[in-house]
Amino acid sequence: VGVFENGSLTPLGEQLDAALKGQINKVLRHRDLSGKPGTTQLIYDAKGMHAARLMLVGLGEKKSLSPNRFGSALRTAFKQLNESGATDAVVLNPSDEKDAIYRYARATVDAASAAVYRFEQCKSEGKPPKRPLKKVGYLVASRRQLTPAQRALSHGEAIADGTRLAKDLANLPGNICTPSYLAQEAQALGRGKRKLSVSVLNEKQMERLGMGSLLSVSRGSRQPAKLIVMEYKGGKAGSKPVALVGKGLTFDAGGISIKPAAAMDEMKYDMCGGASVIGTIAACAAMELPLNVVGIVPSSENLPDGDANKPGDIVTSMSGQTIEILNTDAEGRLILCDALTYAERFEPAAVIDIATLTGACIVALGDQASGLMANDQKLADELLAAGTACGDRAWQLP
Ligand code: MN
Ligand code: ZN
């Protein structure tokens, strides 16, 4: 039950309080709960309630309530519930604003999924919570509101599953999540889905296409490079697809221009652009979006082998341009340029390239917002708006 900073309840919260003969407001009068976002207070065994616990969750100021703010308050609440004895919870829709149900319900699924996410695949002995949160319901005020809420829950679930897949792929270490592993995971997604087809190009096939830039990076590693191509056809036949290109560098040691040892383990995350694309395609397919989307993930390692790129080497990309490699740690653009040239064959309506391209982005923006560069302002504005709406912000760079 949401509580604002001024101590007032959400409209459904007021209804619940009336049914409980004012027990909630009586507790609130003690002012133990500030109502600041993410603060919580539990009430046990309220008279007239079947539920053992009633959790009050601070939502901040009433006028600045938004699905993002709601979601982040819920994330704290769900984390606490996950570690308490509660195994299922019901969330009261916090706003009676028209058309708000869909956005708040979707934020709820997102928050629940993020709060209980754990990466335990590699633990010899996992320690899951004793009584984890297993089920979350969403309460709306009227039958009329069920349709948008149910739609939000099914969309939210598809997006949460895609996000979880991307996080799992990201968290897997480089010795497990190799280019071949990424390719297998992508292929597994395509199995049994009529609208999604996945193909993987091997090094021979890439050589025939003239991908000399991508292959020059992979030459420094014993793991063969893969070009993962995922085609989701939910839209009209012949309507131009959106192309998503994601960097799938499964471990980036920097190559001969080797990185410092400190925190080098984090370079297993250099495939997060690729993982985002794979997760996004999974979500598109699960939601059966009426769109054509193609996901392209060039995947390789970047290691300092005797056959690796050397500073000063000159390679030729699929587009026929020559590239002088001055720093072998700038390998992202080398694998992405050939993937971008490959994307041309789909005659895409738009191309969105997602990559952990350079640490300079964190120097400029910190680790919250993603840097965004575009040669089409309309598309840039749409991406900025989407990031703001879902709480995963981008910041446009010149
Ligand atoms: Mn690099
Ligand atoms: Zn890299």
Side-chain angles (χ1 to χ4, degrees):
V1 181
V3 179
F4 297 109
E5 264 177 53
N6 63 3
S8 70
L9 290 162
T10 60
L12 269 179
E14 282 300 345
Q15 280 190 45
L16 177 63
D17 187 49
L20 295 175
K21 303 201 167 66
Q23 289 177 85
I24 303 177
N25 271 310
K26 196 175 160 211
V27 169
L28 284 174
R29 273 199 289 277
H30 292 297
R31 283 286 182 178
D32 287 2
L33 184 73
S34 70
K36 288 212 164 25
T39 53
T40 60
Q41 185 179 3
L42 276 170
I43 301 174
Y44 291 96
D45 302 319
K47 258 192 217 86
M49 251 187 84
H50 284 295
R53 303 168 190 79
L54 204 156
M55 184 180 251
L56 304 175
V57 180
L59 298 180
E61 282 179 56
K62 192 170 184 174
K63 64 174 191 316
S64 40
L65 179 70
S66 69
N68 277 341
R69 166 79 48 100
F70 185 60
S72 64
L74 283 184
R75 248 193 315 274
T76 318
F78 285 138
K79 271 202 179 114
Q80 288 176 10
L81 290 176
N82 198 36
E83 270 138 42
S84 80
T87 53
D88 56 80
V90 176
V91 174
L92 271 58
N93 175 54
S95 165
D96 53 6
E97 226 176 285
K98 206 176 166 284
D99 302 328
I101 311 263
Y102 174 85
R103 294 186 301 138
Y104 284 100
R106 230 181 79 177
T108 301
V109 184
D110 191 46
S113 167
V116 302
Y117 177 78
R118 283 165 171 259
F119 178 71
E120 292 194 317
Q121 282 184 49
C122 298
K123 292 214 167 142
S124 41
E125 252 176 88
K127 276 199 193 110
K130 279 201 189 87
R131 298 182 67 193
L133 185 61
K134 284 198 177 132
K135 194 171 155 190
V136 174
Y138 196 76
L139 188 72
V140 292
S142 70
R143 190 164 285 276
R144 199 166 37 78
Q145 296 174 336
L146 280 177
T147 310
Q150 268 155 356
R151 198 171 129 84
L153 295 190
S154 81
H155 283 181
E157 223 174 329
I159 295 168
D161 286 348
T163 307
R164 204 162 32 233
L165 172 64
K167 284 182 183 173
D168 281 346
L169 292 174
N171 284 323
L172 280 166
N175 65 327
I176 296 175
C177 185
T178 59
S180 303
Y181 183 92
L182 265 191
Q184 281 163 17
E185 289 290 299
Q187 275 174 319
L189 276 178
R191 239 163 262 145
K193 290 194 190 77
R194 203 169 45 82
K195 291 178 180 167
L196 179 60
S197 58
V198 179
S199 58
V200 175
L201 273 63
N202 60 28
E203 292 194 340
K204 269 235 163 61
Q205 294 165 305
M206 288 189 261
E207 211 176 292
R208 255 178 258 134
L209 289 167
M211 295 188 168
S213 183
L214 193 161
L215 290 171
S216 79
V217 175
S218 151
R219 238 185 21 238
S221 148
R222 294 192 186 174
Q223 293 291 339
K226 303 283 174 188
L227 186 76
I228 303 164
V229 183
M230 313 176 79
E231 281 182 85
Y232 169 69
K233 289 184 179 144
K236 285 196 200 84
S239 91
K240 291 186 170 178
V242 173
L244 305 176
V245 179
K247 177 179 175 185
L249 214 294
T250 58
F251 191 82
D252 183 10
I256 297 299
S257 312
I258 197 162
K259 291 177 186 289
M264 204 206 262
D265 59 293
E266 291 177 9
M267 291 304 132
K268 70 176 183 179
Y269 295 123
D270 209 17
M271 36 57 72
C272 283
S276 304
V277 169
I278 294 171
T280 301
I281 297 280
C284 289
M287 286 185 280
E288 301 192 313
L289 289 187
L291 278 177
N292 294 333
V293 188
V294 47
I296 302 173
V297 178
S299 186
S300 169
E301 290 184 327
N302 185 27
L303 294 177
D305 181 75
D307 202 24
N309 278 330
K310 300 171 292 297
D313 281 3
I314 296 174
V315 299
T316 306
S317 73
M318 185 180 172
S319 71
Q321 296 173 81
T322 54
I323 303 162
E324 185 181 25
I325 300 164
L326 296 179
N327 182 326
T328 66
D329 196 9
E331 85 299 334
R333 61 210 73 182
L334 293 176
I335 68 168
L336 287 162
C337 68
D338 282 342
L340 288 167
T341 305
Y342 187 81
E344 286 174 5
R345 68 186 51 210
F346 297 100
E347 295 179 23
V351 179
I352 302 168
D353 180 308
I354 308 156
T356 46
L357 198 62
T358 164
C361 192
I362 291 176
V363 176
L365 301 177
D367 56 9
Q368 298 301 315
S370 303
L372 171 69
M373 283 179 274
N375 58 7
D376 181 305
Q377 194 52 42
K378 198 171 152 264
L379 178 60
D381 289 340
E382 284 179 28
L383 290 170
L384 289 169
T388 305
C390 72
D392 190 357
R393 288 178 303 130
W395 188 279
Q396 192 167 5
L397 296 169

